[in-house]
Amino acid sequence: MSRSVRTRPGASGRNLSEAYDTALLDLDGVVYAGGDAIAYAVESLAAARTGGMHLAYVTNNALRTPDAVAAHLTELGVPAGADDVITSAQAVARLIADQVPAGARVLVIGGEGLRVALRERGLVPVESADDDPAAVVQGYGGPELPWGRFAEACYAVARGVPWYASNTDLTIPGARGIAPGNGAAVEVVRIATGADPQVAGKPLPPMHRETILRTGAERPLVVGDRLDTDIEGAFNGGVDSLLVLTGVTDGARLLAAPPRHRPTYVDADLRGLLTGQPEVTGDEDGGFRCGGWTASAGRERLELEGDGEALDGLRALCAAAWTAAGDSGCELDTDKALARLGL
């Protein structure tokens, strides 16, 4: 399916919570970090829900069960039930169930979330490569996952057992900073075996399919902090997206984004759900304007003039950078322009 190349952030005259029926919200880096709620998340989600928006929580983290995630959200002040949570464990379990016999054994390298999801699909989790598994599935198992679990995966994969991964996020945000994610663990097995897994999580179609099947969303808005999972997943699914700057993506990464990583909207945090989005006007000749800012692309760097809200300046810079880059990533120097915005 061909898509036009996005060259500027989108505009919305309506609050996003009114323009879309369902928010498909990432968790780590969007709603919470290291277990604690991110600033403005609780009150923003409450207001969106009160206004009639359905909230669904979509996570590549396969460690915890939907019940556990919902309980954590509720404890933080974001009421949620297990049916409101969609995990990459559920997506990969469905993917496996579509390809192996009913009741098949699956070697689990990961946490309880994977085991529960497999049982939901009628599959039997096992712990050893010697248990005659029909598949190997790997998901985030937390920082205490023993090294020997990777060896079990390698033994089975080397024998030709099909290998699946819940997701391949290289990092995961936490209270103390950025830590290795499941993608880093997948690389351990890949290097040792030379094999490649089938992957279910964002940004790939199995996760989008799982999300739509479970939510019934008709006008979904993907909300995330990662360009390579949340925003690319929305691009692959042909739906709109909102990038919030509360997680791993900073201004420089956003300006350098190739087309599949360019969000529809950009905002500081989840308060962006409760507002419209300003229009970016102008063109390459006269510069791109948003709020009090005008951005343009020079020979070597992005230029920014004016003043006003930093986010408006960033939106104008996005238009200048993305237009200059076309269907590739922007390689212009962005440091000076971002420094003017404090970003």
mmCIF file of all heavy atoms in Angstrom, residues 126-149:
data_model
loop_
_atom_site.group_PDB
_atom_site.id
_atom_site.type_symbol
_atom_site.label_atom_id
_atom_site.label_comp_id
_atom_site.label_asym_id
_atom_site.label_seq_id
_atom_site.Cartn_x
_atom_site.Cartn_y
_atom_site.Cartn_z
ATOM 1 N N VAL A 126 6.611 -24.653 28.306
ATOM 2 C CA VAL A 126 7.598 -25.558 28.893
ATOM 3 C C VAL A 126 8.888 -24.780 29.115
ATOM 4 O O VAL A 126 9.071 -23.671 28.606
ATOM 5 C CB VAL A 126 7.847 -26.796 28.014
ATOM 6 C CG1 VAL A 126 6.572 -27.618 27.874
ATOM 7 C CG2 VAL A 126 8.377 -26.400 26.632
ATOM 8 N N GLU A 127 9.794 -25.387 29.889
ATOM 9 C CA GLU A 127 10.977 -24.662 30.347
ATOM 10 C C GLU A 127 12.283 -25.140 29.746
ATOM 11 O O GLU A 127 13.311 -24.492 29.926
ATOM 12 C CB GLU A 127 11.069 -24.770 31.883
ATOM 13 C CG GLU A 127 9.855 -24.223 32.616
ATOM 14 C CD GLU A 127 9.609 -22.757 32.304
ATOM 15 O OE1 GLU A 127 10.585 -21.972 32.318
ATOM 16 O OE2 GLU A 127 8.457 -22.398 32.008
ATOM 17 N N SER A 128 12.280 -26.282 29.063
ATOM 18 C CA SER A 128 13.533 -26.855 28.574
ATOM 19 C C SER A 128 13.467 -27.178 27.090
ATOM 20 O O SER A 128 12.411 -27.564 26.565
ATOM 21 C CB SER A 128 13.861 -28.140 29.356
ATOM 22 O OG SER A 128 14.959 -28.819 28.783
ATOM 23 N N ALA A 129 14.612 -27.051 26.430
ATOM 24 C CA ALA A 129 14.714 -27.463 25.039
ATOM 25 C C ALA A 129 14.521 -28.966 24.885
ATOM 26 O O ALA A 129 14.236 -29.452 23.780
ATOM 27 C CB ALA A 129 16.078 -27.050 24.481
ATOM 28 N N ASP A 130 14.651 -29.704 25.979
ATOM 29 C CA ASP A 130 14.471 -31.159 25.950
ATOM 30 C C ASP A 130 13.019 -31.581 26.157
ATOM 31 O O ASP A 130 12.730 -32.781 26.219
ATOM 32 C CB ASP A 130 15.353 -31.803 27.014
ATOM 33 C CG ASP A 130 16.830 -31.583 26.735
ATOM 34 O OD1 ASP A 130 17.199 -31.426 25.551
ATOM 35 O OD2 ASP A 130 17.623 -31.556 27.710
ATOM 36 N N ASP A 131 12.101 -30.611 26.271
ATOM 37 C CA ASP A 131 10.680 -30.912 26.464
ATOM 38 C C ASP A 131 9.932 -31.055 25.144
ATOM 39 O O ASP A 131 8.701 -31.005 25.128
ATOM 40 C CB ASP A 131 10.022 -29.817 27.307
ATOM 41 C CG ASP A 131 10.460 -29.862 28.766
ATOM 42 O OD1 ASP A 131 10.790 -30.962 29.249
ATOM 43 O OD2 ASP A 131 10.482 -28.795 29.416
ATOM 44 N N ASP A 132 10.665 -31.221 24.050
ATOM 45 C CA ASP A 132 10.091 -31.411 22.720
ATOM 46 C C ASP A 132 9.146 -30.272 22.334
ATOM 47 O O ASP A 132 7.997 -30.506 21.924
ATOM 48 C CB ASP A 132 9.340 -32.752 22.660
ATOM 49 C CG ASP A 132 9.008 -33.153 21.219
ATOM 50 O OD1 ASP A 132 9.734 -32.735 20.303
ATOM 51 O OD2 ASP A 132 8.005 -33.873 21.031
ATOM 52 N N PRO A 133 9.631 -29.019 22.412
ATOM 53 C CA PRO A 133 8.756 -27.899 22.050
ATOM 54 C C PRO A 133 8.550 -27.799 20.544
ATOM 55 O O PRO A 133 9.432 -28.140 19.746
ATOM 56 C CB PRO A 133 9.525 -26.684 22.570
ATOM 57 C CG PRO A 133 10.968 -27.093 22.504
ATOM 58 C CD PRO A 133 10.971 -28.556 22.840
ATOM 59 N N ALA A 134 7.376 -27.316 20.153
ATOM 60 C CA ALA A 134 7.082 -27.056 18.745
ATOM 61 C C ALA A 134 7.502 -25.650 18.349
ATOM 62 O O ALA A 134 7.529 -25.315 17.162
ATOM 63 C CB ALA A 134 5.593 -27.233 18.478
ATOM 64 N N ALA A 135 7.809 -24.821 19.346
ATOM 65 C CA ALA A 135 8.219 -23.443 19.092
ATOM 66 C C ALA A 135 8.994 -22.924 20.290
ATOM 67 O O ALA A 135 8.874 -23.448 21.403
ATOM 68 C CB ALA A 135 7.006 -22.556 18.820
ATOM 69 N N VAL A 136 9.789 -21.896 20.045
ATOM 70 C CA VAL A 136 10.475 -21.147 21.100
ATOM 71 C C VAL A 136 9.948 -19.729 21.052
ATOM 72 O O VAL A 136 9.876 -19.131 19.968
ATOM 73 C CB VAL A 136 12.003 -21.122 20.885
ATOM 74 C CG1 VAL A 136 12.687 -20.310 21.979
ATOM 75 C CG2 VAL A 136 12.566 -22.516 20.811
ATOM 76 N N VAL A 137 9.577 -19.162 22.201
ATOM 77 C CA VAL A 137 9.138 -17.774 22.228
ATOM 78 C C VAL A 137 9.969 -17.006 23.248
ATOM 79 O O VAL A 137 10.213 -17.482 24.353
ATOM 80 C CB VAL A 137 7.637 -17.653 22.537
ATOM 81 C CG1 VAL A 137 7.281 -18.176 23.936
ATOM 82 C CG2 VAL A 137 7.182 -16.209 22.389
ATOM 83 N N GLN A 138 10.395 -15.833 22.846
ATOM 84 C CA GLN A 138 11.260 -15.013 23.686
ATOM 85 C C GLN A 138 10.610 -13.655 23.904
ATOM 86 O O GLN A 138 10.189 -12.984 22.960
ATOM 87 C CB GLN A 138 12.630 -14.838 23.012
ATOM 88 C CG GLN A 138 13.680 -14.201 23.900
ATOM 89 C CD GLN A 138 15.058 -14.290 23.259
ATOM 90 O OE1 GLN A 138 15.230 -14.851 22.171
ATOM 91 N NE2 GLN A 138 16.058 -13.725 23.931
ATOM 92 N N GLY A 139 10.508 -13.249 25.174
ATOM 93 C CA GLY A 139 9.956 -11.950 25.536
ATOM 94 C C GLY A 139 10.707 -11.389 26.717
ATOM 95 O O GLY A 139 11.444 -12.105 27.400
ATOM 96 N N TYR A 140 10.500 -10.113 26.997
ATOM 97 C CA TYR A 140 11.212 -9.476 28.097
ATOM 98 C C TYR A 140 10.932 -10.212 29.393
ATOM 99 O O TYR A 140 9.782 -10.436 29.770
ATOM 100 C CB TYR A 140 10.789 -8.006 28.218
ATOM 101 C CG TYR A 140 11.537 -7.244 29.273
ATOM 102 C CD1 TYR A 140 12.906 -7.021 29.153
ATOM 103 C CD2 TYR A 140 10.883 -6.735 30.396
ATOM 104 C CE1 TYR A 140 13.605 -6.316 30.123
ATOM 105 C CE2 TYR A 140 11.572 -6.019 31.352
ATOM 106 C CZ TYR A 140 12.932 -5.821 31.217
ATOM 107 O OH TYR A 140 13.611 -5.116 32.183
ATOM 108 N N GLY A 141 12.020 -10.599 30.082
ATOM 109 C CA GLY A 141 11.871 -11.356 31.320
ATOM 110 C C GLY A 141 12.307 -10.613 32.552
ATOM 111 O O GLY A 141 12.422 -11.213 33.622
ATOM 112 N N GLY A 142 12.571 -9.311 32.409
ATOM 113 C CA GLY A 142 13.017 -8.532 33.557
ATOM 114 C C GLY A 142 14.524 -8.615 33.732
ATOM 115 O O GLY A 142 15.204 -9.446 33.122
ATOM 116 N N PRO A 143 15.072 -7.750 34.574
ATOM 117 C CA PRO A 143 16.533 -7.683 34.737
ATOM 118 C C PRO A 143 17.148 -8.905 35.395
ATOM 119 O O PRO A 143 18.358 -9.090 35.330
ATOM 120 C CB PRO A 143 16.728 -6.430 35.601
ATOM 121 C CG PRO A 143 15.428 -6.256 36.325
ATOM 122 C CD PRO A 143 14.374 -6.729 35.379
ATOM 123 N N GLU A 144 16.337 -9.750 36.003
ATOM 124 C CA GLU A 144 16.878 -10.918 36.701
ATOM 125 C C GLU A 144 16.797 -12.198 35.879
ATOM 126 O O GLU A 144 17.066 -13.280 36.406
ATOM 127 C CB GLU A 144 16.121 -11.121 38.024
ATOM 128 C CG GLU A 144 16.091 -9.898 38.935
ATOM 129 C CD GLU A 144 17.481 -9.372 39.254
ATOM 130 O OE1 GLU A 144 18.408 -10.193 39.421
ATOM 131 O OE2 GLU A 144 17.652 -8.139 39.307
ATOM 132 N N LEU A 145 16.442 -12.112 34.598
ATOM 133 C CA LEU A 145 16.343 -13.315 33.774
ATOM 134 C C LEU A 145 17.701 -14.010 33.706
ATOM 135 O O LEU A 145 18.687 -13.411 33.272
ATOM 136 C CB LEU A 145 15.878 -12.957 32.363
ATOM 137 C CG LEU A 145 15.569 -14.136 31.440
ATOM 138 C CD1 LEU A 145 14.329 -14.881 31.922
ATOM 139 C CD2 LEU A 145 15.357 -13.654 30.003
ATOM 140 N N PRO A 146 17.784 -15.284 34.112
ATOM 141 C CA PRO A 146 19.091 -15.970 34.147
ATOM 142 C C PRO A 146 19.678 -16.170 32.756
ATOM 143 O O PRO A 146 18.957 -16.414 31.783
ATOM 144 C CB PRO A 146 18.752 -17.325 34.796
ATOM 145 C CG PRO A 146 17.448 -17.121 35.479
ATOM 146 C CD PRO A 146 16.709 -16.119 34.671
ATOM 147 N N TRP A 147 20.973 -16.102 32.660
ATOM 148 C CA TRP A 147 21.677 -16.291 31.400
ATOM 149 C C TRP A 147 21.395 -17.666 30.798
ATOM 150 O O TRP A 147 21.335 -17.830 29.584
ATOM 151 C CB TRP A 147 23.176 -16.115 31.642
ATOM 152 C CG TRP A 147 24.000 -16.057 30.392
ATOM 153 C CD1 TRP A 147 24.785 -17.049 29.882
ATOM 154 C CD2 TRP A 147 24.125 -14.957 29.494
ATOM 155 N NE1 TRP A 147 25.400 -16.620 28.719
ATOM 156 C CE2 TRP A 147 25.012 -15.340 28.453
ATOM 157 C CE3 TRP A 147 23.576 -13.672 29.459
ATOM 158 C CZ2 TRP A 147 25.363 -14.500 27.404
ATOM 159 C CZ3 TRP A 147 23.924 -12.834 28.415
ATOM 160 C CH2 TRP A 147 24.805 -13.249 27.397
ATOM 161 N N GLY A 148 21.170 -18.646 31.659
ATOM 162 C CA GLY A 148 20.902 -19.996 31.180
ATOM 163 C C GLY A 148 19.648 -20.108 30.339
ATOM 164 O O GLY A 148 19.525 -21.037 29.519
ATOM 165 N N ARG A 149 18.702 -19.173 30.495
ATOM 166 C CA ARG A 149 17.496 -19.212 29.671
ATOM 167 C C ARG A 149 17.831 -18.959 28.202
ATOM 168 O O ARG A 149 17.222 -19.550 27.307
ATOM 169 C CB ARG A 149 16.467 -18.168 30.152
ATOM 170 C CG ARG A 149 16.041 -18.314 31.594
ATOM 171 C CD ARG A 149 15.518 -19.715 31.886
ATOM 172 N NE ARG A 149 14.360 -20.045 31.067
ATOM 173 C CZ ARG A 149 14.030 -21.273 30.697
ATOM 174 N NH1 ARG A 149 14.781 -22.307 31.043
ATOM 175 N NH2 ARG A 149 12.946 -21.493 29.957
#
